[in-house]
Structures are given as C-alpha cells and as structure tokens.
Amino acid sequence: MWRSCLRLRDGGRRLLNRPAGGPCASMSPGPTIPSPARAYAPPTERKRFYQNVSITQGEGGFEINLDQRKLKTPQAKLFTVPSEALAIAVATEWDSQQDTIKYYTMHLTTLCNTSLDNPTQRNKDQLIRAAVKFLDTDTICYRVEEPETLVELQRNEWDPIIEWAEKRYGVEINSSTSIMGPSIPAKTREVLVSHLASYNTWALQGIEFVAAQLKSLVLTLGLTDLHLTVEQAVLLSRLEEEYQIQKWGNIEWAHDYELQELRARTAAGTLFIHLCSESTTVKHKLLNE
C-alpha cells in the first residue's frame, strides 16, 4: 500500500514539475512531453502540410526545413540544434509522419523544444540538482518485505545494477523497505553532481526526462554508460508491475500500450542524450539524397 501512495505522490510531483514545450511548425503550437498518467488522453494531431523535409546549417546550428518553411519552437524561436546528427534524427521524425502529424510520437522534437525554450527557466546547476533528486525516490532502491518471491526477484535483478553503479562511480547507494526511503550519503550526491556536470544543458534535459520515465537515476546512468539496453532498463523499472501481471494477468491492450510507450520515450531520451553529447558532422543533409 505504501508503495502505491508513494507512486501517487511522486506522479503528482512529476505532473506539476514536468517541462513544457512540444513540436511546432512556424506558429503552430505542439503538446508538452506526455505523462504516463495521461497516456490515454486524446492526442494532438494535424494534417500534414508539407512534402519535403531537409536540414541546413545556419549561424546558430542546424535547422529543420519543412518545404520552404523554417521549423520554430512553441515560443516562436528558430528551431536550431547543436549537432547535425540530432538534426537528422529530428528531421526523420517529421519525414516519417504520414497524412496526419502525430505530435505525441515526436519525442526528440519535444525535447529539443524544451531545451530551446527552457520554459521553466532553469540553469545547468538546477538541472543537475533535479536529476540527482531522483535518488531520493529511485525505483530500484525501494524494496518490499513480502511476498518472498518478489523480495528475491528484486534482490536478483536490482542488486547487480546497484553494485555496478557503486563500483563505476565509487559511491554508496543503499536500498530500503521503509516508506521514508533509502539513506543516500552526501558523498554519493557530490560525486554524481560532479559527474553530471560533465554534460551540457541539452543532455541534462534528456537525463532528467529519462529518469522521469524510469523513475530511477541509477537506471538512467546505466543507459547513458551503455551498461543497459533500453529494453533492460524499462523492464527493470517495471519489475513489480511485471511481477503482478505474471501473477494476476494482463489487462487487454492497456499494459502492452503502456510498455511500448515507455520504451519509445526512454529510447528517444537516451538517443537525445547521446546525440547532444556529440559534435560529429554528417555528409548528406537532405533526407532524399
């Protein structure tokens, strides 16, 4: 019961604090980053109004062109990204839309809009503190006391990840069965703050986004360090849910939809982090070349 209460509290905080800023072409506003709690809300869609998608390099970075129109953010800023690889990935999102533009599937575009508009007006230090705060409610640090089968499952699946993180970063990460959560040493926070400071603000937006999806900074670090795949991280974040599904059965289509959505958001966020951490240039700029 206490875990359910904790998740409701945590989910409420995420809804109140989630960043805004969805896709936008010219003056057309897009949705904010979708929350799992509103996964079944009617999505925002629009009829496709462009034929070709391309990218060009401008003074501030790489731009996305929809025919002859420059893509803009919800705050009407020119949509400009720092790396060509990221620009190609975003352009692919727009090019893959069919007759209808489904904004809720365009996670990379949404993350770029959030980074460009910075609707919550946070600086780098604030982004780092927001990411580290996930340690206080990290999914894999909260354990149950019963049933024994779930206790053993959590120990077998989550302990190796915590042990990896402790060895990788030279820190101590505790787990707890208390509603108050685990005790995280101040030294651990200092080390992780220092590590996250090596990322730029764009990548930090992605790290916070992924941590919010998985409800775990430890799993997010496993993804960014290529220790875990997206599929592994998602299943580890849903360990208790998957246990309950195995025991009580699956709700037709709902659980599968939720799982696929979580995978999509986590994969997009992880790709965003890596593309924002690179400065490589790709030869071909037009998708139809």
Side-chain angles (χ1 to χ4, degrees):
M1 176 63 73
W2 66 266
R3 288 177 64 85
S4 298
C5 293
L6 183 64
R7 283 176 183 156
L8 287 173
R9 181 197 70 180
D10 188 52
R13 288 176 178 172
R14 297 290 182 270
L15 286 172
L16 289 172
N17 298 326
R18 63 176 181 165
C24 177
S26 293
M27 296 184 293
S28 302
T32 56
I33 296 174
S35 166
R38 303 183 63 182
Y40 305 109
T44 301
E45 298 183 355
R46 177 183 177 180
K47 184 177 180 180
R48 178 165 172 160
F49 57 88
Y50 55 90
Q51 295 295 321
N52 301 307
V53 183
S54 63
I55 70 173
T56 53
Q57 186 170 10
E59 293 183 1
F62 295 89
E63 304 164 1
I64 311 296
N65 308 304
L66 307 179
D67 292 332
Q68 303 303 314
R69 305 171 69 178
K70 296 286 187 182
L71 185 63
K72 293 186 178 181
T73 72
Q75 293 184 13
K77 296 179 181 178
L78 182 63
F79 189 101
T80 307
V81 298
S83 77
E84 189 171 14
L86 178 58
I88 290 176
V90 171
T92 300
E93 281 190 330
W94 286 89
D95 195 51
S96 64
Q97 302 301 305
Q98 302 301 314
D99 295 336
T100 301
I101 304 172
K102 299 180 179 180
Y103 292 116
Y104 56 92
T105 66
M106 304 169 73
H107 306 301
L108 291 174
T109 301
T110 301
L111 282 165
C112 290
N113 281 331
T114 301
S115 297
L116 288 165
D117 285 344
N118 191 16
T120 55
Q121 296 299 302
R122 291 181 297 172
N123 58 32
K124 183 173 182 178
D125 288 340
Q126 290 171 316
L127 288 171
I128 292 173
R129 287 199 297 271
V132 173
K133 190 170 178 59
F134 278 96
L135 279 176
D136 295 328
T137 56
D138 201 294
T139 293
I140 71 172
C141 293
Y142 277 87
R143 306 298 174 89
V144 298
E145 294 179 315
E146 58 179 357
E148 183 58 35
T149 51
L150 181 54
V151 172
E152 183 179 1
L153 181 64
Q154 290 180 338
R155 183 169 56 247
N156 292 340
E157 297 295 332
W158 286 348
D159 281 1
I161 306 302
I162 290 179
E163 291 169 4
W164 166 82
E166 290 179 328
K167 182 178 180 180
R168 165 68 176 83
Y169 300 104
V171 298
E172 178 185 350
I173 302 175
N174 301 313
S175 60
S176 173
T177 59
S178 169
I179 191 173
M180 301 304 294
S183 174
I184 305 297
K187 182 63 176 179
T188 296
R189 297 181 190 275
E190 293 173 6
V191 170
L192 293 181
V193 164
S194 178
H195 171 71
L196 292 175
S198 65
Y199 290 92
N200 59 45
T201 56
W202 282 61
L204 288 170
Q205 291 279 8
I207 288 172
E208 184 187 13
F209 176 76
V210 174
Q213 307 312 308
L214 301 175
K215 299 180 177 60
S216 170
L217 177 61
V218 178
L219 292 176
T220 301
L221 293 173
L223 277 173
T224 58
D225 270 6
L226 304 180
H227 179 71
L228 296 171
T229 66
V230 168
E231 289 78 9
Q232 289 172 330
V234 167
L235 287 177
L236 286 169
S237 75
R238 287 170 47 89
L239 195 64
E240 186 172 346
E241 288 85 349
E242 293 299 321
Y243 172 85
Q244 298 296 344
I245 289 172
Q246 291 295 322
K247 184 175 181 179
W248 302 107
N250 191 27
I251 297 178
E252 188 176 359
W253 74 264
H255 283 139
D256 290 339
Y257 179 86
E258 183 182 78
L259 177 60
Q260 295 304 321
E261 278 291 293
L262 181 55
R263 282 178 178 171
R265 292 192 298 269
T266 303
T270 304
L271 179 61
F272 182 81
I273 295 167
H274 288 292
L275 293 181
C276 289
S277 304
E278 297 177 356
S279 59
T280 55
T281 300
V282 183
K283 291 183 179 180
H284 300 292
K285 293 181 174 56
L286 298 179
L287 294 180
N288 57 6
E289 285 186 344

